Amino acid sequence: MKKMVSVLMTTMLLTVPVASAFAQTTQDPVKEKAKILASKIVSDYGVSGIQYAIRDHGSVVLSGSAGVKDKAAGSPVTKDTMFGIGSISKVYATAAALKLADTNRIELDKPLTTYLKDFKMADERYKKITPRMLMNHSSGLYGSHYENGFLFDDNDTRTHDELLAKLRSEHLKADPGEFSVYCNDGFQLLEILVERISGLSYSEFLKTHFSKPLDLSSTKTPRDTFDRTKLAKTYAPEIDQALPVENVNLIGTGGIYSTAEEVSKFGDVLIGNRTDILSEKSAKAMQSHEYRKGVWVPEETNSLNYGLGWDAVKLAPFDDYGITALSKGGDTQAYHATLAALPEHDISIAVLSSGGSSTYNSVAATNILLEYIKTKGIIKEILPEKTFPPAVKTDMPSELQAYSGLYGATDRMINLEIKNGEIDLSAAGGLIPSQKFVYTGNGQFKNKEGNLTVSFDRAKNGKTYLKFNGYLSFPGLGQMVMATYEYQKLDRNPLDPATRKAWDQRNGKRYYALDEKITSVGYGNQALLTREITVNADYGYASGTKIVNPNKAVNAVTIPLINGRDSFDLNFYKKNHTEYLTIAGQSYIHENGVQPFSQGSSAVRSISSNGQAAWYKIDKQSAGRVLTVKAPASGGFAVYDAKGELVNFSKISKNYSTVLPEGGLIVFGGNAGDVFKIDLKTK
């Protein structure tokens, strides 16, 4: 879900003077480091604009930016430019709930049902879920309901309004508290909890209890009224113009806009420096090592170790210096952000960008922060980056051969074969490319360069996990350490002949989303609206789910940390001889059910009474012709070529005429009953 834009930008750095003579005279190396890293991210990492700020004991000591706010205007990013902060919003939701705990209106370890009487699930274990489990990702919920959560210029609340109803028919993937794995729905439930207990809308609660007393004039949600022109423009590789404003209507999990200076100011609240806003007790609670309460990787040096709301409460490499560091990253489709804090030293840094990735921002923030604390004398020197000897292959014990087999993670599977002490692994986790690992002893397989290690852990829950552990390098930015369970070994699940036949027919087939509004960001990238089913009938699994019968498969993976997130079941049914798929209540149509767009020179299309999108194949009869659409204000359409790449999306381009590519797709969306008048002419 990252969007990469490679553009050379002009660089602008703004520094804010501070009263401290120490900061005035020693700020230059930090300013230079920040300038170099920000410029590198803009030039090489697909970022159009970036903004950063360091706060020390309540005062901004560095505030800078690089790139542009608006490509067309050439206007630079300034300290007042606003960005989406994505999942950094989770620490705001955590703080909001903890503020209720400070006034004894909720207790973190009481069942959530104490406060949300209408929270019910089709799994009796839900009664054990507590607010704490929502904050530390250990609730056992499947993960995320994204439907209509990311919209262009549309703050529709249905994703918030329908969550409790959707959860009523769903199950858990683990016992509450068994382990922590990233879970967006937990923070959506915290948002609802805050509203129910406080009697305020979530946006109004944030404004009343955080923004006004802290003077956060640029911290807003999609539900707020504010000047949208203050937002940094966002871009996509295949589209020349700026995208419309992205509203993440999953506010509790990722919907806040802000600036780097204001995010760092909120960091002061989170590390206990504003006890008038949040108690020191609650700030300390957020830093607790929640990740160790359940199944977790044994490595202590890591970039992930969950607290309450925080991604990391023991962030590497600061632990190498004996310093506690906290971190939270955030990514939407368009915006990317990181917040890091050193609570023992009252220092925080925020880095926000349009384009790129929170990973890049985090690596840059770490190195800017290290430079800053070196300048302050907190550390004497910055340790060199880790280096590794090349892997040297050795004889592998024969018993390790038993780890060969099928492995799964959410929506993906690999058939892992250990052959002659070697493993060929496909790309994993979005950051690790496909490569070969060789056995080097002590149960470990290493890549050629020696910086990545693969091993196998049998955890206390009885599951066997394939583990990655190593250092990733980002040229010009720095290193990041990551230890994760990447895949879970799957036991064979024999299928009867009828079930096997039904699923074999789905292998490699695509299903297209029907319930996304036409304002959805997803229409800008067809892959976000497409489910391609991968089946391994020999083992009895499909796309990381365990096949139950000819039309149903259930989540099969229980992986801590990150790769077991966003789980789902697959449910298929037929209507009028067309197969449909439902996932978490969202409907998809089988590619074979998508009808040809064949027609004469003019026609009328309409949205059915159920409001679902209408997909069509662009056949030879229509290909190469110029399509002109007259659509209502609530309607729109998108056209894709045979490779699935976007040709035109009317909600972005405002262009209602396009040449239809052969073998592509066209989709119409809008309100139920919307009518589209279509003119189709030869070029």
Side-chain angles (χ1 to χ4, degrees):
M1 295 169 69
K2 313 292 184 203
K3 295 195 173 184
M4 303 296 291
V5 187
S6 188
V7 182
L8 182 63
M9 303 291 181
T10 57
T11 301
M12 179 176 183
L13 185 74
L14 301 176
T15 59
V16 178
V18 294
S20 166
F22 176 84
Q24 295 255 6
T25 58
T26 61
Q27 200 177 51
D28 283 352
V30 183
K31 180 171 71 172
E32 188 62 25
K33 171 72 78 171
K35 181 177 179 179
I36 290 170
L37 292 176
S39 298
K40 188 68 174 177
I41 287 179
V42 168
S43 64
D44 292 3
Y45 287 89
V47 168
S48 56
I50 190 168
Q51 181 191 74
Y52 50 87
I54 296 178
R55 190 174 295 269
D56 187 344
H57 287 80
S59 297
V60 175
V61 295
L62 180 71
S63 180
S65 56
V68 293
K69 173 188 174 186
D70 183 337
K71 291 182 183 180
S75 54
V77 175
T78 73
K79 68 184 182 67
D80 298 315
T81 303
M82 294 169 63
F83 294 78
I85 65 171
S87 286
I88 293 179
S89 303
K90 289 180 172 66
V91 292
Y92 290 69
T94 302
L98 287 170
K99 191 165 184 65
L100 297 176
D102 282 344
T103 54
N104 298 315
R105 301 176 75 180
I106 68 169
E107 293 183 24
L108 298 192
D109 297 310
K110 277 195 172 182
L112 186 61
T113 53
T114 306
Y115 311 107
L116 298 181
K117 302 297 185 183
D118 51 345
F119 169 52
K120 300 179 186 297
M121 297 184 71
D123 186 324
E124 286 298 302
R125 294 177 294 176
Y126 83 93
K127 296 175 183 177
K128 298 178 181 179
I129 296 173
T130 66
R132 182 186 300 276
M133 293 172 186
L134 302 180
M135 298 174 186
N136 67 19
H137 302 280
S138 71
S139 65
L141 293 166
Y142 266 32
S144 301
H145 286 79
Y146 288 129
E147 182 185 339
N148 294 304
F150 298 81
L151 302 178
F152 284 133
D153 282 331
D154 185 347
N155 59 8
D156 191 321
T157 63
R158 70 177 66 180
T159 186
H160 165 282
D161 302 340
E162 296 175 354
L163 178 60
L164 290 175
K166 288 184 175 180
L167 289 173
R168 286 190 190 107
S169 62
E170 297 180 9
H171 292 76
L172 299 176
K173 62 185 172 190
D175 289 337
E178 182 181 339
F179 62 86
S180 293
V181 59
Y182 206 79
C183 177
N184 285 318
D185 280 349
F187 293 85
Q188 289 304 103
L189 287 172
L190 282 180
E191 176 185 336
I192 294 171
L193 173 65
V194 169
E195 291 180 328
R196 296 287 182 86
I197 299 301
S198 70
L200 299 173
S201 73
Y202 184 66
S203 296
E204 192 63 34
F205 185 95
L206 294 180
K207 185 187 305 181
T208 302
H209 294 284
F210 297 139
S211 294
K212 285 184 178 179
L214 290 167
D215 193 25
L216 304 179
S217 61
S218 294
T219 298
K220 305 292 183 181
T221 80
R223 302 298 296 167
D224 290 327
T225 299
F226 67 97
D227 182 4
R228 259 66 174 175
T229 65
K230 290 183 65 179
L231 289 165
K233 298 287 188 183
T234 61
Y235 302 89
E238 68 276 17
I239 302 171
D240 293 332
Q241 68 199 85
L243 302 176
V245 171
E246 177 194 50
N247 287 340
V248 179
N249 297 311
L250 308 160
I251 300 175
T253 198
I256 294 176
Y257 308 106
S258 193
T259 66
E261 288 192 11
E262 291 197 1
V263 171
S264 70
K265 193 172 191 177
F266 195 73
D268 261 358
V269 173
L270 302 177
I271 59 178
N273 290 338
R274 288 298 303 267
T275 54
D276 56 321
I277 305 294
L278 187 69
S279 72
E280 184 178 357
K281 176 184 176 183
S282 287
K284 285 288 187 184
M286 289 184 68
Q287 301 170 34
S288 60
H289 290 200
E290 298 287 319
Y291 63 103
R292 284 297 181 201
K293 292 182 176 180
V295 178
W296 198 260
V297 292
E299 285 75 11
E300 281 296 330
T301 299
N302 206 352
S303 294
L304 285 177
N305 28 63
Y306 297 143
L308 298 182
W310 292 105
D311 287 342
V313 291
K314 191 176 181 291
L315 179 67
F318 294 94
D319 52 339
D320 289 341
Y321 301 87
I323 295 173
T324 295
L326 316 172
S327 178
K328 184 73 193 83
D331 298 277
T332 71
Q333 299 299 315
Y335 292 116
H336 309 276
T338 194
L339 168 65
L342 310 181
E344 296 160 338
H345 300 282
D346 292 337
I347 299 170
S348 61
I349 183 172
V351 181
L352 317 181
S353 67
S354 171
S357 164
S358 65
T359 298
Y360 309 146
N361 294 358
S362 180
V363 174
T366 291
N367 285 294
I368 296 169
L369 204 50
L370 286 172
E371 188 70 38
Y372 182 70
I373 62 176
K374 176 189 173 187
T375 301
K376 285 201 66 174
I378 295 173
I379 60 174
K380 292 183 178 180
E381 60 181 357
I382 297 174
L383 300 174
E385 290 189 352
K386 304 288 186 183
T387 58
F388 305 89
V392 177
K393 186 178 178 181
T394 189
D395 292 338
M396 184 189 79
S398 59
E399 59 265 24
L400 292 182
Q401 197 69 41
Y403 288 114
S404 294
L406 186 69
Y407 286 73
T410 301
D411 205 19
R412 55 194 169 103
M413 301 182 299
I414 59 167
N415 211 337
L416 186 144
E417 182 181 8
I418 304 175
K419 190 174 182 180
N420 299 321
E422 297 180 355
I423 302 174
D424 283 314
L425 279 179
S426 56
L431 296 173
I432 303 171
S434 300
Q435 56 195 299
K436 180 180 290 186
F437 292 77
V438 300
Y439 186 71
T440 58
N442 299 317
Q444 299 180 338
F445 298 77
K446 293 184 180 292
N447 65 344
K448 180 180 178 181
E449 295 77 13
N451 64 305
L452 294 176
T453 300
V454 166
S455 58
F456 302 91
D457 277 1
R458 185 170 178 83
K460 61 184 179 182
N461 62 359
K463 307 295 184 184
T464 296
Y465 298 108
L466 182 150
K467 183 178 68 180
F468 272 108
N469 183 24
Y471 285 79
L472 305 176
S473 294
F474 303 92
L477 297 183
Q479 276 184 339
M480 179 183 76
V481 62
M482 182 63 72
T484 65
Y485 286 139
E486 197 69 26
Y487 293 100
Q488 176 185 321
K489 196 171 191 297
L490 301 176
D491 297 328
R492 285 188 180 273
N493 172 40
L495 304 179
D496 61 70
T499 300
R500 183 186 184 105
K501 180 180 178 181
W503 284 90
D504 276 338
Q505 292 173 347
R506 297 183 182 117
N507 190 30
K509 297 298 183 181
R510 294 182 176 183
Y511 295 74
Y512 300 101
L514 296 173
D515 300 323
E516 283 290 294
K517 296 183 69 176
I518 196 59
T519 50
S520 173
V521 171
Y523 289 105
N525 181 355
Q526 185 190 305
L528 298 177
L529 300 179
T530 304
R531 291 281 185 171
E532 183 172 342
I533 305 301
T534 303
V535 178
N536 187 315
D538 290 339
Y539 273 84
Y541 294 87
S543 299
T545 63
K546 183 177 182 179
I547 297 170
V548 175
N549 61 43
N551 292 313
K552 184 178 181 65
V554 298
N555 172 62
V557 295
T558 52
I559 306 175
L561 283 82
I562 198 77
N563 291 300
R565 62 176 289 181
D566 298 345
S567 303
F568 55 81
D569 298 338
L570 300 173
N571 294 279
F572 297 88
Y573 68 95
K574 283 192 175 181
K575 182 178 179 181
N576 297 327
H577 306 292
T578 296
E579 185 171 77
Y580 294 86
L581 164 65
T582 60
I583 299 176
Q586 189 168 13
S587 299
Y588 297 76
I589 186 171
H590 191 293
E591 62 181 57
N592 292 349
V594 177
Q595 298 301 306
F597 191 63
S598 301
Q599 61 181 65
S601 60
S602 63
V604 172
R605 304 279 177 175
S606 62
I607 301 299
S608 64
S609 59
N610 60 17
Q612 291 184 329
W615 292 82
Y616 298 94
K617 298 173 184 175
I618 300 171
D619 55 10
K620 290 184 178 180
Q621 182 179 336
S622 300
R625 302 176 74 184
V626 179
L627 170 74
T628 302
V629 178
K630 186 176 181 180
S634 56
F637 70 98
V639 177
Y640 310 94
D641 66 17
K643 295 180 180 179
E645 296 179 358
L646 184 68
V647 174
N648 183 33
F649 178 20
S650 64
K651 288 295 182 180
I652 294 175
S653 68
K654 307 303 180 185
N655 180 7
Y656 288 81
S657 183
T658 190
V659 177
L660 297 181
E662 184 173 349
L665 291 168
I666 181 169
V667 56
F668 295 90
N671 294 334
D674 276 354
V675 174
F676 300 82
K677 294 182 180 179
I678 294 168
D679 184 45
L680 199 59
K681 293 181 178 178
T682 303
K683 283 199 296 184

